[in-house]
Amino acid sequence: MSTVAAPDTGTAATAAAPRAPLAYYPGCSLHGTSREFDESLRAVLAALRVPITEIDDWSCCGASSGHATDHLLGVALPARNLALAEAQGFKSVLAPCAACYNRLSAARLAVAGDTELAERIPDVLGRPFANTVEVESVMDLLREAAVMIEEKVAAALTPNPLEGLRLAAYYGCLLVRPPEVAGYDDPEAPTSMDEVLAACGANPVDWNMKVECCGGAFSVSRTASVVRLGRAIIEDARRSGAEALVVACPLCHSNLDLRQKAIMARGEEPMPVLFITQVVGLALGLPAAALGLDRHFVDTEPFIRRLVEQAAVRAAAEEKVKAEAAAKAAARRGKAESA
Amino acid sequence: MSGTSETRAGATAGGDFEPRITAFACNWCTYTGADLAGTSRLHMASNVRIIRLPCTGRIDPLFVIKAFERGADGVIVSGCHPADCHYTAGNYHARRRFAVFHDLMGFVGVDPGRITFSWVSASEGAKWRNVVDEAVSKVRELGPFTAYRGLIDHNVSADHFEGLLTAVRADPAGSEAGQTEAAQVGAAVVTDDGDPS
Amino acid sequence: MSRIGIFVCHCGENIARTVDVAAVAEALRDHPGVAWSEDYKYMCSDPGQSLVRKAIEEHELTGVVVAACSPHMHEKTFRRACAAAGLNPFMCEMANIREHCSWIHEDRDEATAKAIDIARTIVEKVKHNRPLESIRIPVTKRALVVGGGIAGIQAALDIADGGHEVVLVEKEASIGGHMSQLSETFPTLDCSQCILTPRMVEAYQHPNIKLHTWSEVESVDGYIGNFTVKVRKKARSVDEDLCNGCGDCQAACPAKKIPSEFEAGLGTRTAIYVPFPQAVPNIPVLDRQNCTLFKGRRKGLAKDACGKCKEACLRGAVDYDTEDTFVEEQVGAIVVATGYGLYSIGREQPEGLKGYGEYGYGEVPDVIDGLQFERLASASGPTAGAILRPSDGKEPKTVVFVHCVGSRDPEKGMSYCSKICCMYNAKHAMLYKHKVHDGRAVAFYMDVRAAGKGYDEFSRRAIEEDEAEYIRGRVSRIFREGDKVKVWGFDTLSGEQVVIDADMVVLATAMRPQAGAKELAQKLNVSYDEHGFINEAHPKLRPVETNTAGVFVAGACQAPRDIPDSVAMASATAAKVMSLFSADELEREPAVAVVNETTCIGCMSCEHVCPYGAVEVKEIRGRDGALQRTVASVNPGVCQGCGTCQAVCLSKSIELETFTDEQVYAEINALAAWD
């Protein structure tokens, strides 16, 4: 069980009212292939003073296999984790992986809408389950915190490397569909991630493949399809002027990052694929090493270095302008005094 | 069959008893629906007598109480489906009124099974037949509604009074019959010396 | 003392087979208050009715009960018979022993006993009947038509031709409505303006039609036969009497780039303008929002920034200082014909609507809606009838038509079908192919709804003669890719995804009521549904009336519909209006509520629950003019007789004639006579 305390990052930002501790459901990917999502998320949550506690003894959410096999299984597997969270005293669970989030939400909805199922589930689980725990996605949380992020970004000690950076927000499917499960954003033209990117000072581009499929779990079984779909996504992002892609799902990241070598087989420029939490972390001034940016297949180092350099140049230019203005003002004052 | 009050009062529930049901029907929907049932020759129980009103919104809850007082064993109130009222909103008023009235009847001790509230449209002849048959069979099971009559029966002896008190203490929730008796006793106590004790 | 006559009908075998009618007559003979009782084979026949009349005269009857079929069948018949014999018709009621007795029971004893109960109940009711006179209210024989589209014009012409004055109010500068924007109409491909403009001129010149354009209904008071309507004539800035339609002001206007509403945003107009060359009346209005002079005035400039149109006008008709004026019209009937608007499905939507951001409408210039395509195809449109796409003016070689955008979609759009789109999509495909012979027209449809006369044949023509490709499936996304508009769709019949690189896309967006329709409905006190369409009185049998007496409805403001149906509906409303105007006075059944002003406490609960607004506050003043108290008062012209007021009256001061408390309690008590 790991608990992340909420240390003071030394920023002089407005302190929002501390939240009740969230249960944290990492699922299989966050401790495995998407460790950087987990690392960057924890770092950002710490900066935003959101305490999280990993659910004790959590188990698989079932993902696609669960609900494709059997409806009851597809509900019971995620419900077990909700029941654990309930028993451990939590009101809300944060599930960063889009598939886990979707399955946990779907289970909650299924049980709420079917009294027979609601009566059956505790027997199946072998533990009580009152369906009181709510499910939050990372996008929910970050969007709610957008104002705080904006303030912290403005108050950060280092210049914002993301200032004006054109980014393509890629939502994929499970974050926004089906609408009654995912709930909070337009399933065809979502804007929540764009809002968060804007709060970070970046410039989210208007592009066409926001919610188009990345190939999902076919990464291994039908790699060619994933490559084709990924290419369409990256090319449209590039055509729309984006310098990097931003995702909020481990599988999307994997398909676009891990498979990018195959996608760019024709020798195109690689495009970095960042997790939204990594982007927020950079804007908040957290060090790249704390955000797992060295774990990607598409090397982010030159990209980040360039951003930091450009930010420094911008900051220097601003300083120069400020200094000149101050000098002018001082000169005018001097003239006035001596007159 | 019209029986006399003597045989009626004495009959047990489920015996020879044929309930008397007064129905308040709105002219535009239920009354016309009942006409349609007739035109379609749908046979049904003959215990119901319809009183035509322009709209269920016209129905004063006192009509229902009066019907019971005058000897009805059950009452049906039926009008247009919500949103279809000929006068646009009358049935909504009726619905609201009867939600409260229904609770009041239960509180007062009238079995809610005696009152049927339904929406029957002008095209639902079969539904009217079903409403009638179900109401009749339900009220038949509940037996004759004698509670009101019991209130005006003054002849209660002191021994009978004692017996009733014992019975009521033993079973305070009581059946409708028990409550009737208790009411009788109450009435008797009031009228015996003209002075409420 | 009641002297009631009871007549029991055999109705051939219909009643007599199951009910012992003689026994019923016998049982009622000695009932207190009954002076005459007989049974007869067919009461509704002439001899049967004669029996009633004879009995009234011979036995001086004060009331009549006919125990026979349902009052819905023959109440009028017997009331007329009574009136002919000098008995007030409202002293006659029917006891339903057929539909409610003989036809639904088998046991003769049970049925007969029930028939006796029913008859007795009605006898007891009639004892409390009162002689009533029909209510007569005067009728102003002028009509108001709100909306000058094809439906409004048709209604106005029909009523005017019928010899009555019509006031036609139109909120735009010209009448004609959306039909004037269409290029050709299905299924004949008639030129829309060619068939419309003669009607427009006729309406303008008709001696019985008073036209108020650039005007809106401000308020409506009164009731059927007696409406007082206040019309706001918006400031035109042009004197309608002086202007001769020469157009010099428009030529002189320097503000030439204002998006034209008539051109659906694809063309421009000047600040002082007539919406289209065939406008009726051909009198311009000055758009003060976009006019240079008025912008200057709003900024507070000392000197007027422009004045070119006034200078150019040789008749001195331009006047910048006019204000909105009000005209009061007295009318007896109102026809609502405000028509429709299209669902603008872009990403930006007012509260409650979701839009279809994925279709790129409002972002990709070459994605347009049906009315915009009509303007492209129109000879008088921004491209003189050539099909050219908005972004670069090039001729599109592949045009995709998408059906059902925002219709039949309870999730994101309107739940209903907009009825006309399948037809106009076929028309658009045909018009496109007629002008661009080597073009490709592709239509994505869900179902093809072409149910009118000649409609299916028309629709098939688009496919068979003009080679339009019809793909059954939905479109998931439309976006710009380079020079093309990419359309991602699906073909359900082959099960394959379809990607089309189109040059232009035409969306068939949902038909919705005009903006402001709800507010107008509230002013008229008519009800509307959740989409804003005006509610008809009965969907099957009273499609052109509303539940507000004297207000009728025609055209697309009631539900999506095409031109022939709108015209038919408009003529139907005219018939209703003329029927209303056929007598000097309106006769209504006296089944209305009456207030006992002595006992009324003025709580106005009745006013609160009356669905028709028939209850008014009445002041009771003393001889010195001082206000003593207020009581309720029922307008007999508006009251429809539901009785809801009586059920809520705290002081039992309001009574519904024909269903008074006395009458109802008499019936309830009569049933106790089972004992």
Side-chain angles (χ1 to χ4, degrees), chain C residues 498-557:
Chain C
V498 178
V499 175
I500 301 194
D501 286 327
D503 296 309
M504 192 165 85
V505 176
V506 183
L507 303 177
T509 50
M511 264 176 115
R512 300 185 63 209
Q514 273 279 15
K518 276 191 194 159
E519 287 71 24
L520 176 68
Q522 285 163 0
K523 286 179 188 163
L524 292 168
N525 196 28
V526 295
S527 59
Y528 49 89
D529 66 15
E530 76 267 29
H531 304 293
F533 288 115
I534 307 285
N535 278 337
E536 65 289 343
H538 188 280
K540 286 288 195 188
L541 296 181
R542 297 174 70 198
V544 305
E545 300 159 81
T546 63
N547 265 326
T548 305
V551 181
F552 305 94
V553 62
C557 63

Side-chain angles (χ1 to χ4, degrees), chain C residues 10-21:
Chain C
H10 297 221
C11 194
E13 281 297 294
N14 281 307
I15 297 178
R17 190 187 313 125
T18 322
V19 170
D20 184 346
V21 289

Side-chain angles (χ1 to χ4, degrees), chain B residues 20 27 31-32 34-35 38 41-46 48-49 52 57-58 60 62 70 87-88 93 97, chain C residues 70-72 75 96 100 104-106 110 114 117 611-612 640 642 646-647 652 659 661 665 669 672 674:
Chain B
R20 296 174 300 188
N27 176 56
Y31 193 92
T32 310
D35 278 353
R41 314 293 197 273
L42 299 175
H43 286 225
M44 60 186 90
S46 60
V48 174
R49 308 285 184 266
R52 181 168 75 118
R58 169 72 184 88
D60 189 328
L62 282 175
R70 300 309 278 156
Y87 303 100
T88 64
H93 290 290
R97 224 173 271 151
Chain C
S70 168
H72 287 161
E75 189 176 74
N96 187 338
H100 289 188
I104 58 174
H105 303 310
E106 290 164 321
E110 281 177 26
K114 181 166 170 177
D117 283 340
Y612 301 98
Q640 300 291 313
C642 69
Q646 186 165 5
K652 297 268 170 247
F659 289 101
D661 271 350
Y665 282 119
N669 288 336
W674 289 357

